[in-house]
Amino acid sequence: MGHKLEDLSSKKCVPCNSKEMRAMTEQAANELIPQVPEWTLVNESGRLRLSRSWKVKTYLKGLEFFQAVANVAEAEGHHPDLHLAEWNKVKIEIWTHAVGGVTESDFIIAAKINRLNLHDLVRR
């Protein structure tokens, strides 16, 4: 409850295969969502995921955007789903496939993505 945003983005993702990994309840997820501004919690047939979209300046900037996100994902060993829709809209969905829902690791990666400096790629 007393978490701060810095705590979340400075944490490391837990390996998805760890035995104690459990999907969060919607209530627990709703307590963490304020720490990842502009991400929304999506409930699709009982499976929770985090989702966020951005408008990018160009198609190629969208690919640069994904490369920056991929570097974070690779460092954390936790890989979000990346979508380049139309020519200038990027969408990222994060959930822990191994548990079929969201875990703290999903919020950690969302917080780390939020901290990336993507201003030269994103449209105002």
Side-chain angles (χ1 to χ4, degrees):
M1 287 299 276
H3 297 294
K4 290 189 178 56
L5 181 60
E6 300 80 58
D7 299 347
L8 213 48
S9 65
S10 63
K11 286 182 162 182
K12 294 294 285 175
C13 293
V14 176
C16 298
N17 57 7
S18 73
K19 293 282 173 277
E20 56 279 359
M21 179 73 82
R22 296 274 177 283
M24 260 182 201
T25 64
E26 195 159 4
Q27 183 185 355
N30 278 318
E31 285 173 16
L32 281 183
I33 200 81
Q35 294 185 49
V36 286
E38 296 185 61
W39 289 84
T40 53
L41 194 61
V42 178
N43 186 333
E44 211 169 81
S45 336
R47 287 174 179 256
L48 296 175
R49 64 182 60 174
L50 293 171
S51 180
R52 185 177 171 187
S53 297
W54 295 258
K55 287 273 192 193
V56 287
K57 291 177 180 173
T58 66
Y59 187 79
L60 287 175
K61 299 262 188 219
L63 296 178
E64 284 181 54
F65 185 105
F66 284 158
Q67 186 60 61
V69 170
N71 293 339
V72 171
E74 201 58 23
E76 292 297 325
H78 198 64
H79 301 90
D81 290 1
L82 309 177
H83 308 275
L84 182 50
E86 298 154 31
W87 62 272
N88 69 342
K89 185 179 175 194
V90 294
K91 180 179 175 188
I92 299 182
E93 293 186 308
I94 312 175
W95 79 99
T96 303
H97 299 70
V99 300
V102 294
T103 61
E104 188 185 45
S105 290
D106 298 308
F107 285 91
I108 292 169
I109 204 94
K112 288 178 189 282
I113 290 169
N114 277 3
R115 291 193 67 177
L116 290 172
N117 183 359
L118 302 166
H119 299 300
D120 55 333
L121 307 177
V122 176
R123 293 171 80 168
R124 304 249 173 301

